[in-house]
């Protein structure tokens, strides 16, 4: 009897600590944030007024907000395919019984471990027009030097490349772990049937990795939509607002302009966008291949 | 008899505990960080503690980039410091919001002792809400070796001479890549406003209407853009103007006097000269824009008098003299403007101290936003290819928006 | 899949040569990418041995011309760096251990049980993960202050006891574990907790190792929340200390690099140490709706 009881309550016991600890520091502040988006709170003022939907109306006409949305999407479009494809390819390469796998894995993980402030400064040097490594390399193939971070056309892409550099390592680790879990018997069966290298990847590896890919895509998407620290350090949202992402604008509005209510409204919009995108990703990639483990 | 001694004992106990409570007072002091300033304030804190037994100063140094990010939530929660720094332009708003209180000092005395340009934003109804610190003006730094090498004998004193000299300094290599810049402003707000201010324009009236959208000020704005587009003495792709100056690849640069200390700390042998900024035309004043911070006392502090005392100590003449010597930041007291000790310690301080006299306060309250706006406006011309007039119109409109949304804070 | 007339395992020299070329190309690619990953990091380490002038020099040098240990000496003498190390260890290790544990439990619970509220709670967590932090951080700080958590170790630890990312990840990993194993254990009389400790935990070692290193890295490098919560130098963490080597008008990259190098070492050590758990096979599949 006790046995049955503990079986019934077990899921709750397992789930509750993690859920409660997480929600207590995120849920209530999030709800407060939603409430704030309907006010004109300025952090330090003791009084504030209820504004209804005024903040949201204002968003529609805010050119900088719309620009920041566009920039964030462009950034995400650079980042997500780059990270997902690159980390997938690297994981496959590493998985093929390569010598020194430990060393490679460690090196790929290094960017994630470097403090972002330091990494940003170093990449600023890489992109420097006069002394940067990138211009040196492009010069070798005959291309003229460019001021990568100071040209509206290239600044965002340059930061996105840095973002890819940052995120690939961790995702390689995740993909590797997943790859290890694909039973060799599948590959062996395919080989007997005469499958070549690319066919094996296309018909076995890719489908079985779909769930992992979903995880990587969703987390990378969330990360891309949240991009802020690099823009803050490397370009301060410029030149000409070409690297102003949503969170950068939110941060500025909240902590420099002291317009917390308005920043909250922007945050809610970002939240809804992220929710929709996650849902779309889930629908697209969510149909995983399940099999009984042998 | 017995009851009497009990009463006596209790009274003594109460008096002693009150005394003890009165003795153990703490002031929490927040400041934005620089290693030199850190040492300075530590030292002053120990001195103050020695002079006021029972008082502890708890001092916390925060990197400038994150200063407001940390300060604001603390003020919102009520966990903030007793004494802290604010940009001078923020003081009016914080006063309106009731975050800071008027200082328990002798206001009449203060009005006379501090440089007027430094307390423009700090005084209301004759009462001080903060005392000035971190005073910076704009001066002209130049490389004396480059001047000697090119035979330039006169430090430019007008805009015309400035460009002439800069053109002499500019140097290219065979492929037309600039090797040495003549002049730089770096799109930095206070420098651009200085150039505009030198045309004699007004900036803003009391109702927040922008007055600078006129041909006069446009001349200053255009002059700044011309350094890059017209005269070619500044190359925006050159990289950091500070590194360039340090490496002798930049002849002249408009900068805060504090850069002297910065240059000295990394390149002690750099041949530096400092002069007041050139005037627009001969005979006109060498107007420049002053930026400063203020020490304020939180409205929530329990030790208001002690806070005021500490603030006064921090901005006292002796403290400021030492401060200038250690950190290179200018004093805000009138009597130090021609202090022989300062000039003896660092002769290069002559021009910065002189510049205080023709300095006007930063013309807007929302400093951070206006600096960004003017930088964007200039880049619209130099990178975006817009006309100077179009960019300037945009700047005026943006200034009004900033005033409405940020300074007034109403929707 | 059947391909007619497939050729395989041909001992022909062409195929041997081709697989060797592919192998070389593979190594070349991996090495090239490794170099790109490594250069910024190397620059940081090399810079920590340069003088301030050389670190700022233009055109920059790669290898230090007069390598010096002075930067490291100065980092330790100017600020109580050892104390910062201690603080960072305390505020990283404890939350990591707790987080991995609660995330593993929750991931298991969400994946292997069907219960009322299960789906709802999971999506609630996922959704809350998407709310941007500039807006949640101020209410959270005020809450923390009201509860008296500001300026203490608890203040940092208490908000890091669980992770939505971790729960999500552990759920994925646990989904693939065979149900028969669990049922068999139940028939043998094991309690649910017994199953968790004796079956689940051992089987998900690689996932746990991955989560541990991710969570630890996040806590070790955390900046925003410690910035708000820590008000005194004796509690300062490493990531807060690094910017202190820069001035307002001058930056000292050589010192920052030295401090950063030292801050980064423990994480790398932990990662290398963790590697052996990665190589064990795990299964991850099946998004069951």
């Amino acid at each position: 009897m006790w046995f049955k009881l503990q079986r019934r309550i077990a899921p709750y016991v397992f789930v509750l600590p993690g859920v409660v600890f997480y929600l207590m520091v995120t849920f209530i502040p999030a709800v407060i944030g939603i409430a704030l988006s309907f006010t004109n709170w300025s952090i330090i003022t003791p009084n504030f007024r209820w504004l209804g939907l005024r903040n949201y109306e204002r968003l529609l006409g805010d050119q900088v907000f719309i620009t920041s949305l566009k920039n964030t999407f462009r950034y995400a479009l650079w980042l997500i395919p780059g990270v997902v494809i690159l980390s997938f390819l690297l994981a496959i390469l590493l998985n093929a019984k390569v010598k020194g796998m430990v060393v490679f894995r460690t090196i790929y993980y290094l960017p994630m471990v470097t403090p972002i402030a330091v990494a940003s400064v170093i990449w600023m040097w890489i992109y420097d027009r006069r002394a940067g490594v990138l211009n040196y390399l492009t010069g070798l193939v005959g291309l003229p030097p460019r001021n990568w971070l100071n040209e509206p056309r290239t600044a965002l892409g340059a930061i996105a490349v840095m973002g890819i550099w940052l995120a690939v390592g961790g995702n390689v680790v995740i993909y590797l772990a997943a790859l290890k879990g694909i039973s060799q018997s599948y590959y062996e069966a395919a080989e007997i049937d005469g499958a070549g290298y690319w066919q094996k990847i296309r018909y076995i590896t890719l489908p079985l990795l779909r769930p992992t890919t979903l995880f990587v895509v969703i987390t990378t998407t969330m990360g891309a939509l949240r991009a802020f620290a690099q823009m803050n350090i490397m370009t301060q949202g410029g030149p000409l607002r070409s690297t102003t992402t949503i969170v950068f604008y939110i941060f500025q509005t909240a902590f420099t302009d002291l317009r917390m209510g308005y920043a909250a409204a922007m945050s809610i919009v970002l939240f809804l966008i992220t929710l929709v995108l996650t849902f779309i990703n889930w629908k697209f990639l969510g149909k995983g291949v399940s099999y009984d483990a042998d | 008899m017995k009851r009497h001694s009990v009463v006596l004992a209790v009274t003594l106990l109460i008096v002693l505990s009150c005394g003890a409570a009165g003795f153990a007072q703490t002031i929490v002091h927040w400041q934005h960080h620089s290693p030199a300033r850190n040492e300075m304030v530590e030292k002053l804190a120990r001195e103050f503690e020695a002079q006021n037994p029972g008082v502890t100063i708890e001092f916390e140094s925060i990197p400038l980039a994150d200063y407001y990010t940390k300060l604001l939530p603390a003020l919102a929660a009520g966990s903030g410091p007793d004494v802290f720094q604010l940009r001078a332009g923020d003081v009016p708003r914080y006063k309106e919001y009731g975050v800071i209180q008027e200082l328990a000092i002798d206001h009449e005395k203060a009005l006379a002792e501090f440089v007027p340009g430094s307390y423009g934003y700090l005084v209301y109804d004759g009462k001080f809400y903060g005392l000035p610190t971190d005073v910076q003006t704009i001066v002209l730094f130049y490389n004396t070796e480059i001047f000697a090498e090119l035979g330039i004998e006169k430090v430019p004193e007008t805009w015309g001479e400035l460009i002439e000299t800069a053109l002499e300094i500019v140097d290219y290599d065979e492929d037309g890549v600039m090797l040495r810049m003549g002049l730089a402003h770096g799109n930095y707000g206070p420098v651009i406003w200085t150039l505009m201010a030198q045309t004699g324009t007004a900036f803003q009236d009391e109702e927040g209407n922008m007055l600078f959208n006129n041909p006069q000020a446009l001349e200053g704005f255009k002059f700044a853009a011309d350094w890059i587009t017209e005269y070619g003495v500044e190359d925006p792709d050159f990289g950091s103007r500070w590194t360039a100056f340090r490496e002798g690849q930049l002849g002249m640069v408009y900068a805060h006097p504090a850069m002297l200390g910065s240059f000295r700390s990394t390149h002690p042998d750099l041949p530096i000269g400092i002069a007041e900024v050139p005037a627009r035309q001969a005979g006109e004043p060498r107007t420049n824009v002053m930026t400063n911070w203020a020490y304020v006392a939180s409205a929530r502090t329990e030790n208001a008098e002690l806070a005021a005392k500490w603030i006064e100590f921090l901005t006292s003449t002796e403290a400021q003299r030492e401060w200038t010597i250690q950190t290179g930041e200018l004093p805000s007291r009138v009597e130090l403007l021609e202090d022989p000790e300062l000039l003896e310690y660092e002769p290069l301080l002559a021009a910065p101290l002189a510049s205080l006299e023709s300095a006007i306060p930063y013309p807007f309250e929302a400093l951070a936003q206006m600096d960004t706006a003017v930088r964007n406006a200039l880049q619209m011309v130099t990178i975006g290819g817009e006309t100077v007039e179009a960019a300037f119109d945009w700047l005026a409109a943006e200034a009004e928006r900033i005033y409405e949304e940020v300074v007034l804070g109403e929707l | 899949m059947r391909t007619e007339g497939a050729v395989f395992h041909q001992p022909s020299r062409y195929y041997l040569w081709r697989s060797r070329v592919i192998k070389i190309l593979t190594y070349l690619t991996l090495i090239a990418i490794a170099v790109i990953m490594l250069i910024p990091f190397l620059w940081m380490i090399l810079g920590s041995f340069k003088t301030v002038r050389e670190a700022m020099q233009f055109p920059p040098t790669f290898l230090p011309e007069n390598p010096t240990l002075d930067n490291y000496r100065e980092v330790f003498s100017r600020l109580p760096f050892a104390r910062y190390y201690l603080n960072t260890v305390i505020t990283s290790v404890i939350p990591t251990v707790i987080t991995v544990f609660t995330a593993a439990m929750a991931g298991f619970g969400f994946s292997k049980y069907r219960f009322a509220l299960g789906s709802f709670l999971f999506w609630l967590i996922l959704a809350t993960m998407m709310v941007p932090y500039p807006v949640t951080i101020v209410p959270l700080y005020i809450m923390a202050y009201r509860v008296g958590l500001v300026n203490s170790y608890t203040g940092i630890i208490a908000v890091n006891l669980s992770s939505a990312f971790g729960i999500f990840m552990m759920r994925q990993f646990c989904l693939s574990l065979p149900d028969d194993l669990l049922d068999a254990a139940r028939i043998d009389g094991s309690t649910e907790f017994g199953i968790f400790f004796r079956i689940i935990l051992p089987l998900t070692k690689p996932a746990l190792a991955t989560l541990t290193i991710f969570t630890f890295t996040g806590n070790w490098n955390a900046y925003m929340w410690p910035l708000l919560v820590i008000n005194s130098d004796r509690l300062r963490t490493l990531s807060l200390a690094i910017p202190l080597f820069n001035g307002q008008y001058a930056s000292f990259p050589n010192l920052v690099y030295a401090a950063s190098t030292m801050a980064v070492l423990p994480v790398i050590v932990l990662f290398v140490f963790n590697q052996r758990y990665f190589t064990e096979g795990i299964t991850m599949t099946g998004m069951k709706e």
Side-chain angles (χ1 to χ4, degrees):
Chain A
M1 223 226 46
W2 156 250
F3 194 76
K4 275 231 141 146
L5 179 66
Q6 59 98 35
R7 188 141 173 222
R8 289 271 305 279
I9 66 171
Y12 292 97
V13 173
F14 283 129
V15 160
L16 280 180
V19 169
V20 165
F21 285 151
Y22 182 72
L23 289 180
M24 80 184 181
V25 296
T26 51
F27 187 67
I28 303 177
V31 167
I32 296 181
I34 297 180
L36 283 177
S37 70
F38 298 111
T39 70
N40 69 345
W41 194 47
S42 301
I43 305 187
I44 52 177
T45 91
N47 355 283
F48 49 95
R49 289 181 288 136
W50 190 261
L51 289 175
L53 289 172
R54 281 263 291 276
N55 279 334
Y56 292 96
E57 278 169 22
R58 198 183 192 99
L59 279 181
L60 294 174
D62 187 343
Q63 272 307 106
V64 182
F65 179 65
I66 295 178
T67 307
S68 73
L69 278 177
K70 285 195 216 154
N71 287 337
T72 311
F73 280 131
R74 273 175 56 206
Y75 181 77
L77 276 173
W78 270 91
L79 189 75
I80 299 170
V83 170
V84 175
I85 296 176
L86 196 58
S87 44
F88 176 74
L89 289 177
L90 284 174
I92 296 215
L93 286 179
L94 273 182
N95 199 33
K97 290 197 192 20
V98 167
K99 265 188 272 201
M101 201 185 350
V102 174
V103 174
F104 278 119
R105 265 216 299 265
T106 313
I107 293 183
Y108 291 167
Y109 194 66
L110 283 178
M112 281 202 83
V113 147
T114 321
I116 190 144
V118 176
S120 302
V121 166
I122 294 176
W123 275 86
M124 272 163 68
W125 166 74
I126 292 181
Y127 284 129
D128 191 80
R129 182 165 170 279
R130 290 195 300 156
V133 168
L134 186 57
N135 279 332
Y136 174 70
L137 291 174
T138 56
L140 289 178
V141 284
L143 293 172
R146 301 184 76 144
N147 196 352
W148 300 95
L149 289 178
N150 212 28
E151 277 176 49
R153 284 185 49 194
T154 58
L156 194 62
I159 298 190
V161 166
M162 183 210 174
I164 297 178
W165 171 85
L166 269 177
V168 162
N171 289 303
V172 166
V173 169
I174 294 181
Y175 265 127
L176 267 178
L179 277 172
K180 288 269 177 258
I182 299 180
S183 173
Q184 275 303 107
S185 48
Y186 287 97
Y187 291 117
E188 284 158 15
E191 265 178 46
I192 291 175
D193 280 352
Y197 184 74
W198 291 111
Q199 283 158 324
K200 277 192 269 181
I201 293 192
R202 205 175 136 217
Y203 291 109
I204 301 182
T205 316
L206 270 178
L208 286 178
L209 277 187
R210 257 241 198 119
T212 319
T213 307
L214 173 67
F215 179 74
V216 169
V217 167
I218 289 187
T219 50
T220 311
T221 306
M222 290 197 205
L225 294 177
R226 271 206 282 255
F228 160 65
Q230 304 114 286
M231 292 80 187
N232 198 26
I233 298 176
M234 294 168 86
T235 54
Q236 290 94 48
L240 296 180
R241 292 228 178 266
S242 58
T243 60
T244 301
T245 53
I246 303 185
V247 176
F248 180 87
Y249 189 43
I250 292 177
F251 210 86
Q252 202 177 54
T253 308
F255 289 99
T256 310
D257 294 357
L258 291 189
R259 294 163 67 203
M260 198 45 132
Y262 193 51
M266 287 197 269
S267 304
I268 300 304
V269 170
L270 177 60
F271 164 67
L272 291 172
I273 294 177
T274 315
L275 199 58
V276 166
L277 281 178
T278 304
F279 194 68
I280 294 179
N281 278 326
W282 199 284
K283 279 294 168 213
F284 239 143
L285 293 165
K287 295 185 187 45
V289 177
S290 61
Y291 59 94
D292 298 329
D294 318 296
Chain B
M1 257 317 279
K2 210 171 178 192
R3 218 176 281 155
H4 183 82
S5 50
V6 167
V7 168
L8 190 64
V10 170
T11 317
L12 263 170
L13 209 61
I14 295 177
V15 165
L16 279 174
S17 56
C18 278
F23 267 5
Q25 287 178 302
T26 316
I27 293 277
V28 176
H29 173 92
W30 285 10
Q31 173 138 338
H32 63 81
H33 177 82
S34 93
R37 243 204 309 259
N38 217 25
E39 276 181 46
M40 206 51 253
V41 176
E42 287 278 354
K43 187 156 159 293
L44 288 171
R46 301 295 95 82
E47 269 179 47
F48 189 75
E49 284 171 353
Q51 286 177 19
N52 298 278
V55 167
T56 329
I57 308 274
E58 267 180 39
F59 158 54
E60 177 66 6
S61 195
I62 302 153
L64 177 58
D66 304 307
Y67 181 73
Y68 277 90
T69 311
K70 182 173 170 62
L71 180 67
L72 290 170
L75 290 176
S79 70
D82 298 299
V83 171
F84 52 100
Q85 282 183 316
L86 282 179
R87 287 194 216 272
D90 287 336
V91 171
R93 252 175 304 157
Y94 280 57
K95 164 187 166 288
E96 286 302 311
Y97 288 142
V99 179
I100 61 179
Q101 55 172 299
E102 90 182 46
L103 292 179
I105 63 171
D106 183 341
H107 300 278
E108 293 293 317
K109 199 152 124 329
L111 281 171
E113 290 181 347
F114 288 97
V115 173
S118 69
Y119 59 67
Y121 288 112
L122 309 182
V123 180
Y124 295 93
D125 300 324
K127 305 275 192 286
F128 273 76
Y129 282 79
L131 286 184
T133 176
D134 286 4
V135 176
Q136 295 294 338
T137 57
I138 300 291
V139 290
L140 179 70
F141 278 75
Y142 60 95
N143 187 317
T144 52
E145 223 174 83
I146 296 181
F147 272 39
E149 181 193 309
L150 294 171
I152 303 172
E153 291 188 353
K154 181 167 183 255
V155 182
E157 286 176 5
T158 67
W159 284 11
E161 291 172 13
L162 181 68
I163 298 297
E164 258 180 56
T165 314
L167 284 168
E168 283 181 60
I169 298 177
V170 174
D171 199 20
Y172 299 90
D173 71 4
E174 318 89 45
D175 303 313
V177 173
M178 195 181 285
L179 282 179
R180 189 169 64 192
M181 288 201 287
L183 186 56
H185 56 55
N187 297 329
Y188 184 48
V191 174
I192 315 298
W193 300 122
T194 295
L195 292 174
M196 283 166 60
Q198 285 181 332
T199 64
T201 179
F203 285 93
Q204 190 179 330
D205 69 16
E206 267 144 31
E207 274 97 57
N209 298 315
M210 295 299 146
L211 302 173
F212 64 85
N213 194 357
N214 56 56
Q216 262 175 295
L218 180 62
E219 198 195 319
F221 183 73
K222 182 168 185 304
F223 186 52
D226 283 346
W227 290 14
I228 296 171
T229 53
E230 183 80 17
Y231 306 117
V233 294
E234 179 175 359
D235 180 4
D237 291 336
F238 208 77
S240 158
R241 62 197 187 281
W242 307 126
T243 312
F245 191 74
R246 279 180 230 261
E247 298 281 317
Q249 291 159 348
L250 170 59
M252 299 185 282
V253 63
Y254 277 46
H256 288 316
M259 287 310 292
L260 177 62
S262 166
F263 293 141
R264 286 275 163 76
S265 64
T266 59
H267 292 68
D269 321 316
L270 194 57
I272 302 175
I274 310 182
E276 282 186 76
V277 290
R280 188 170 65 119
Q281 288 164 5
E284 287 188 1
R286 319 263 227 153
T287 320
N288 65 87
V289 165
M290 176 195 298
T291 52
N292 65 297
W293 290 62
Y295 284 118
V296 296
S298 162
R300 283 209 180 93
T301 178
E302 288 158 2
N303 302 315
E305 274 193 35
L306 188 60
K309 206 165 162 203
W310 165 238
I311 292 178
E312 277 190 302
F313 185 77
L314 278 171
T315 53
S316 64
T317 311
E318 301 74 37
Q320 285 203 1
R321 185 185 289 120
E322 247 198 275
W323 194 286
T324 303
I325 289 181
Q326 291 301 333
T327 68
E329 282 153 25
L330 294 178
S332 51
R333 279 182 177 269
V334 175
E335 66 178 286
L336 287 172
L337 287 186
E338 281 162 19
D339 188 89
E341 211 180 306
L342 282 178
L343 286 171
E344 198 195 304
Y345 174 79
E346 178 55 82
L348 281 178
L349 278 177
L353 288 174
S355 70
L356 276 171
E357 289 188 28
S358 7
I360 63 166
Y362 191 91
F364 308 98
E365 271 182 54
L367 184 145
Q369 291 84 342
M370 289 307 290
D371 269 2
T372 307
V374 78
R375 176 162 47 96
N376 282 337
L378 262 183
Q379 284 185 326
M380 281 164 92
V381 176
T382 58
I383 301 181
E386 306 238 7
T387 64
V388 182
E389 289 78 14
F392 202 62
D393 283 336
W394 177 86
L395 181 61
E398 180 73 358
E400 296 207 332
R401 182 197 71 83
I402 290 176
Y403 184 78
E404 259 180 55
E405 288 179 6
V406 177
V407 179
L408 290 184
E410 281 166 11
L411 286 180
Chain C
M1 284 156 288
R2 286 197 180 279
T3 44
E4 295 303 318
V7 273
F8 225 75
H9 290 296
Q10 284 279 26
S12 125
R13 274 162 115 215
Y14 169 65
Y15 282 102
L16 271 170
W17 176 85
R18 198 177 89 149
S19 70
R20 193 163 292 163
V21 166
I22 291 184
K23 220 181 183 150
I24 294 181
L25 280 177
T26 307
Y27 271 105
L28 278 179
T29 315
L30 287 176
I31 293 180
I33 304 230
V35 167
I36 299 180
M37 296 280 159
L38 199 51
I39 283 196
F41 195 76
L42 266 185
W43 180 257
M44 179 177 90
I45 299 186
L46 290 173
S48 69
F49 295 111
K50 296 181 184 168
T51 60
V52 63
R53 247 192 115 133
E54 204 191 331
M56 294 185 133
Q57 194 175 306
F58 187 85
T61 61
F62 196 63
L63 291 172
E65 270 156 31
N66 300 310
T68 166
L69 282 179
D70 280 344
N71 297 328
Y72 287 94
R73 267 184 228 123
E74 203 176 328
V75 163
F76 271 100
S77 68
R78 232 209 255 186
L79 294 178
F81 221 66
R83 173 93 214 188
Y84 300 155
Y85 250 106
L86 178 68
N87 293 335
T88 316
V89 165
I90 295 179
T91 58
S92 299
V93 169
I94 301 178
T96 302
V97 168
I98 300 182
T99 300
V100 171
F101 194 62
T102 60
M105 283 207 303
F108 173 52
F110 279 126
S111 64
K112 286 300 176 196
Y113 295 88
R114 293 222 167 281
F115 57 107
L117 291 186
S119 219
F120 168 70
L121 281 178
F122 182 68
W123 271 95
L124 185 62
I125 293 194
L126 217 53
T128 322
M129 201 169 144
M130 300 181 215
V131 181
Y133 64 87
V135 135
T136 58
I137 209 166
V138 179
L140 185 61
Y141 178 78
I142 299 181
M143 275 165 60
Y145 177 65
R146 294 277 156 81
V147 189
L149 287 180
V150 162
N151 211 28
S152 65
Y153 287 134
T154 326
I156 304 183
I157 294 176
V159 305
N160 278 323
L161 297 174
S162 178
S163 143
F165 180 88
I167 296 179
F168 190 9
M169 192 170 113
M170 291 308 295
R171 176 187 184 266
Q172 302 308 96
F173 278 75
C174 286
L175 276 175
S176 64
L177 298 173
D179 292 330
D180 334 342
L181 213 57
L182 306 183
D183 288 333
R186 286 189 189 115
I187 291 173
D188 280 349
S190 168
T191 63
E192 300 305 303
F193 254 97
I195 291 180
F196 179 69
F197 279 106
R198 272 170 296 170
I199 300 181
I200 304 290
L201 281 188
L203 281 182
T204 55
K205 271 214 201 106
L208 291 175
T210 312
L211 183 59
T212 305
I213 192 69
F214 277 18
T215 313
F216 186 78
T217 310
N219 285 332
W220 188 265
N221 286 339
Y223 187 77
M224 190 53 59
W225 181 250
L227 173 74
L228 294 191
V229 163
I230 294 180
N231 287 336
S232 80
D233 196 54
R234 59 185 174 80
L235 291 176
R236 212 189 290 267
T237 59
L238 288 171
S239 56
L240 291 182
I242 294 177
L244 293 182
F245 292 101
N246 283 331
Q248 187 182 351
Y249 296 104
S251 60
F252 296 93
N254 55 325
L255 294 175
V256 170
Y257 292 154
S260 306
T261 306
M262 284 202 297
V264 147
L265 280 176
V267 186
I268 300 181
V269 166
L270 187 70
F271 183 79
V272 173
F273 184 68
N274 237 348
Q275 292 272 25
R276 57 188 158 118
Y277 295 112
F278 289 168
T279 50
E280 290 167 30
I282 61 106
T283 45
M284 172 157 153
T285 179
M287 292 296 230
K288 300 184 181 163
E289 274 295 275

